[in-house]
mmCIF file with all atom_site columns, all heavy atoms in Angstrom:
data_model
loop_
_atom_site.group_PDB
_atom_site.id
_atom_site.type_symbol
_atom_site.label_atom_id
_atom_site.label_alt_id
_atom_site.label_comp_id
_atom_site.label_asym_id
_atom_site.label_entity_id
_atom_site.label_seq_id
_atom_site.pdbx_PDB_ins_code
_atom_site.Cartn_x
_atom_site.Cartn_y
_atom_site.Cartn_z
_atom_site.occupancy
_atom_site.B_iso_or_equiv
_atom_site.pdbx_formal_charge
_atom_site.auth_seq_id
_atom_site.auth_comp_id
_atom_site.auth_asym_id
_atom_site.auth_atom_id
_atom_site.pdbx_PDB_model_num
ATOM 1  N N   . ILE A 1 83 ? -31.676 -5.050  -15.664 1.00 98.00 ? 1531 ILE A N   1
ATOM 2  C CA  . ILE A 1 83 ? -31.584 -5.210  -14.220 1.00 98.00 ? 1531 ILE A CA  1
ATOM 3  C C   . ILE A 1 83 ? -30.141 -5.499  -13.866 1.00 98.00 ? 1531 ILE A C   1
ATOM 4  O O   . ILE A 1 83 ? -29.554 -6.460  -14.361 1.00 98.00 ? 1531 ILE A O   1
ATOM 5  C CB  . ILE A 1 83 ? -32.479 -6.362  -13.721 1.00 98.00 ? 1531 ILE A CB  1
ATOM 6  C CG1 . ILE A 1 83 ? -33.917 -6.164  -14.208 1.00 98.00 ? 1531 ILE A CG1 1
ATOM 7  C CG2 . ILE A 1 83 ? -32.420 -6.451  -12.205 1.00 98.00 ? 1531 ILE A CG2 1
ATOM 8  C CD1 . ILE A 1 83 ? -34.825 -7.349  -13.919 1.00 98.00 ? 1531 ILE A CD1 1
ATOM 9  N N   . ALA A 1 84 ? -29.589 -4.665  -13.027 1.00 97.00 ? 1532 ALA A N   1
ATOM 10 C CA  . ALA A 1 84 ? -28.215 -4.857  -12.574 1.00 97.00 ? 1532 ALA A CA  1
ATOM 11 C C   . ALA A 1 84 ? -28.219 -5.309  -11.116 1.00 97.00 ? 1532 ALA A C   1
ATOM 12 O O   . ALA A 1 84 ? -29.089 -4.921  -10.338 1.00 97.00 ? 1532 ALA A O   1
ATOM 13 C CB  . ALA A 1 84 ? -27.426 -3.565  -12.718 1.00 97.00 ? 1532 ALA A CB  1
ATOM 14 N N   . GLY A 1 85 ? -27.225 -6.106  -10.763 1.00 96.00 ? 1533 GLY A N   1
ATOM 15 C CA  . GLY A 1 85 ? -27.097 -6.520  -9.368  1.00 96.00 ? 1533 GLY A CA  1
ATOM 16 C C   . GLY A 1 85 ? -28.326 -7.228  -8.842  1.00 96.00 ? 1533 GLY A C   1
ATOM 17 O O   . GLY A 1 85 ? -28.898 -6.836  -7.820  1.00 96.00 ? 1533 GLY A O   1
ATOM 18 N N   . LEU A 1 86 ? -28.736 -8.294  -9.520  1.00 96.00 ? 1534 LEU A N   1
ATOM 19 C CA  . LEU A 1 86 ? -29.942 -9.010  -9.111  1.00 96.00 ? 1534 LEU A CA  1
ATOM 20 C C   . LEU A 1 86 ? -29.859 -9.454  -7.662  1.00 96.00 ? 1534 LEU A C   1
ATOM 21 O O   . LEU A 1 86 ? -28.811 -9.919  -7.188  1.00 96.00 ? 1534 LEU A O   1
ATOM 22 C CB  . LEU A 1 86 ? -30.171 -10.217 -10.008 1.00 96.00 ? 1534 LEU A CB  1
ATOM 23 C CG  . LEU A 1 86 ? -30.934 -9.916  -11.296 1.00 96.00 ? 1534 LEU A CG  1
ATOM 24 C CD1 . LEU A 1 86 ? -30.659 -10.964 -12.339 1.00 96.00 ? 1534 LEU A CD1 1
ATOM 25 C CD2 . LEU A 1 86 ? -32.422 -9.815  -11.016 1.00 96.00 ? 1534 LEU A CD2 1
ATOM 26 N N   . GLU A 1 87 ? -30.993 -9.326  -6.979  1.00 95.00 ? 1535 GLU A N   1
ATOM 27 C CA  . GLU A 1 87 ? -31.104 -9.735  -5.579  1.00 95.00 ? 1535 GLU A CA  1
ATOM 28 C C   . GLU A 1 87 ? -32.180 -10.814 -5.471  1.00 95.00 ? 1535 GLU A C   1
ATOM 29 O O   . GLU A 1 87 ? -33.080 -10.883 -6.307  1.00 95.00 ? 1535 GLU A O   1
ATOM 30 C CB  . GLU A 1 87 ? -31.494 -8.521  -4.728  1.00 95.00 ? 1535 GLU A CB  1
ATOM 31 C CG  . GLU A 1 87 ? -30.514 -7.366  -4.817  1.00 95.00 ? 1535 GLU A CG  1
ATOM 32 C CD  . GLU A 1 87 ? -31.009 -6.124  -4.102  1.00 95.00 ? 1535 GLU A CD  1
ATOM 33 O OE1 . GLU A 1 87 ? -32.179 -6.092  -3.681  1.00 95.00 ? 1535 GLU A OE1 1
ATOM 34 O OE2 . GLU A 1 87 ? -30.204 -5.172  -3.972  1.00 95.00 ? 1535 GLU A OE2 1
ATOM 35 N N   . PRO A 1 88 ? -32.104 -11.658 -4.452  1.00 95.00 ? 1536 PRO A N   1
ATOM 36 C CA  . PRO A 1 88 ? -33.154 -12.674 -4.279  1.00 95.00 ? 1536 PRO A CA  1
ATOM 37 C C   . PRO A 1 88 ? -34.559 -12.063 -4.242  1.00 95.00 ? 1536 PRO A C   1
ATOM 38 O O   . PRO A 1 88 ? -35.519 -12.699 -4.711  1.00 95.00 ? 1536 PRO A O   1
ATOM 39 C CB  . PRO A 1 88 ? -32.786 -13.331 -2.948  1.00 95.00 ? 1536 PRO A CB  1
ATOM 40 C CG  . PRO A 1 88 ? -31.305 -13.164 -2.857  1.00 95.00 ? 1536 PRO A CG  1
ATOM 41 C CD  . PRO A 1 88 ? -31.012 -11.818 -3.482  1.00 95.00 ? 1536 PRO A CD  1
ATOM 42 N N   . GLU A 1 89 ? -34.659 -10.854 -3.734  1.00 95.00 ? 1537 GLU A N   1
ATOM 43 C CA  . GLU A 1 89 ? -35.964 -10.189 -3.660  1.00 95.00 ? 1537 GLU A CA  1
ATOM 44 C C   . GLU A 1 89 ? -36.510 -9.802  -5.035  1.00 95.00 ? 1537 GLU A C   1
ATOM 45 O O   . GLU A 1 89 ? -37.684 -9.449  -5.170  1.00 95.00 ? 1537 GLU A O   1
ATOM 46 C CB  . GLU A 1 89 ? -35.876 -8.929  -2.805  1.00 95.00 ? 1537 GLU A CB  1
ATOM 47 C CG  . GLU A 1 89 ? -35.602 -9.169  -1.325  1.00 95.00 ? 1537 GLU A CG  1
ATOM 48 C CD  . GLU A 1 89 ? -34.168 -9.588  -1.031  1.00 95.00 ? 1537 GLU A CD  1
ATOM 49 O OE1 . GLU A 1 89 ? -33.276 -9.314  -1.860  1.00 95.00 ? 1537 GLU A OE1 1
ATOM 50 O OE2 . GLU A 1 89 ? -33.949 -10.219 0.026   1.00 95.00 ? 1537 GLU A OE2 1
ATOM 51 N N   . ASP A 1 90 ? -35.679 -9.860  -6.070  1.00 96.00 ? 1538 ASP A N   1
ATOM 52 C CA  . ASP A 1 90 ? -36.142 -9.556  -7.429  1.00 96.00 ? 1538 ASP A CA  1
ATOM 53 C C   . ASP A 1 90 ? -36.817 -10.751 -8.086  1.00 96.00 ? 1538 ASP A C   1
ATOM 54 O O   . ASP A 1 90 ? -37.402 -10.614 -9.166  1.00 96.00 ? 1538 ASP A O   1
ATOM 55 C CB  . ASP A 1 90 ? -34.953 -9.131  -8.303  1.00 96.00 ? 1538 ASP A CB  1
ATOM 56 C CG  . ASP A 1 90 ? -34.329 -7.827  -7.850  1.00 96.00 ? 1538 ASP A CG  1
ATOM 57 O OD1 . ASP A 1 90 ? -35.070 -6.931  -7.403  1.00 96.00 ? 1538 ASP A OD1 1
ATOM 58 O OD2 . ASP A 1 90 ? -33.083 -7.716  -7.930  1.00 96.00 ? 1538 ASP A OD2 1
ATOM 59 N N   . ALA A 1 91 ? -36.736 -11.909 -7.478  1.00 97.00 ? 1539 ALA A N   1
ATOM 60 C CA  . ALA A 1 91 ? -37.351 -13.102 -8.050  1.00 97.00 ? 1539 ALA A CA  1
ATOM 61 C C   . ALA A 1 91 ? -38.863 -12.924 -8.130  1.00 97.00 ? 1539 ALA A C   1
ATOM 62 O O   . ALA A 1 91 ? -39.521 -12.616 -7.123  1.00 97.00 ? 1539 ALA A O   1
ATOM 63 C CB  . ALA A 1 91 ? -37.007 -14.326 -7.208  1.00 97.00 ? 1539 ALA A CB  1
ATOM 64 N N   . ALA A 1 92 ? -39.403 -13.095 -9.328  1.00 98.00 ? 1540 ALA A N   1
ATOM 65 C CA  . ALA A 1 92 ? -40.837 -12.880 -9.555  1.00 98.00 ? 1540 ALA A CA  1
ATOM 66 C C   . ALA A 1 92 ? -41.142 -13.180 -11.018 1.00 98.00 ? 1540 ALA A C   1
ATOM 67 O O   . ALA A 1 92 ? -40.225 -13.392 -11.824 1.00 98.00 ? 1540 ALA A O   1
ATOM 68 C CB  . ALA A 1 92 ? -41.229 -11.439 -9.238  1.00 98.00 ? 1540 ALA A CB  1
ATOM 69 N N   . VAL A 1 93 ? -42.411 -13.177 -11.337 1.00 98.00 ? 1541 VAL A N   1
ATOM 70 C CA  . VAL A 1 93 ? -42.818 -13.151 -12.740 1.00 98.00 ? 1541 VAL A CA  1
ATOM 71 C C   . VAL A 1 93 ? -42.927 -11.687 -13.141 1.00 98.00 ? 1541 VAL A C   1
ATOM 72 O O   . VAL A 1 93 ? -43.583 -10.892 -12.453 1.00 98.00 ? 1541 VAL A O   1
ATOM 73 C CB  . VAL A 1 93 ? -44.157 -13.867 -12.970 1.00 98.00 ? 1541 VAL A CB  1
ATOM 74 C CG1 . VAL A 1 93 ? -44.559 -13.767 -14.437 1.00 98.00 ? 1541 VAL A CG1 1
ATOM 75 C CG2 . VAL A 1 93 ? -44.062 -15.322 -12.533 1.00 98.00 ? 1541 VAL A CG2 1
ATOM 76 N N   . TYR A 1 94 ? -42.272 -11.332 -14.231 1.00 98.00 ? 1542 TYR A N   1
ATOM 77 C CA  . TYR A 1 94 ? -42.256 -9.960  -14.705 1.00 98.00 ? 1542 TYR A CA  1
ATOM 78 C C   . TYR A 1 94 ? -43.189 -9.840  -15.911 1.00 98.00 ? 1542 TYR A C   1
ATOM 79 O O   . TYR A 1 94 ? -43.095 -10.630 -16.868 1.00 98.00 ? 1542 TYR A O   1
ATOM 80 C CB  . TYR A 1 94 ? -40.840 -9.543  -15.088 1.00 98.00 ? 1542 TYR A CB  1
ATOM 81 C CG  . TYR A 1 94 ? -39.987 -9.232  -13.888 1.00 98.00 ? 1542 TYR A CG  1
ATOM 82 C CD1 . TYR A 1 94 ? -39.550 -10.238 -13.030 1.00 98.00 ? 1542 TYR A CD1 1
ATOM 83 C CD2 . TYR A 1 94 ? -39.643 -7.912  -13.576 1.00 98.00 ? 1542 TYR A CD2 1
ATOM 84 C CE1 . TYR A 1 94 ? -38.792 -9.948  -11.906 1.00 98.00 ? 1542 TYR A CE1 1
ATOM 85 C CE2 . TYR A 1 94 ? -38.870 -7.619  -12.455 1.00 98.00 ? 1542 TYR A CE2 1
ATOM 86 C CZ  . TYR A 1 94 ? -38.456 -8.636  -11.629 1.00 98.00 ? 1542 TYR A CZ  1
ATOM 87 O OH  . TYR A 1 94 ? -37.701 -8.335  -10.516 1.00 98.00 ? 1542 TYR A OH  1
#
Side-chain angles (χ1 to χ4, degrees):
I1531 306 172
L1534 274 158
E1535 302 173 351
E1537 293 74 22
D1538 295 324
V1541 178
Y1542 283 71

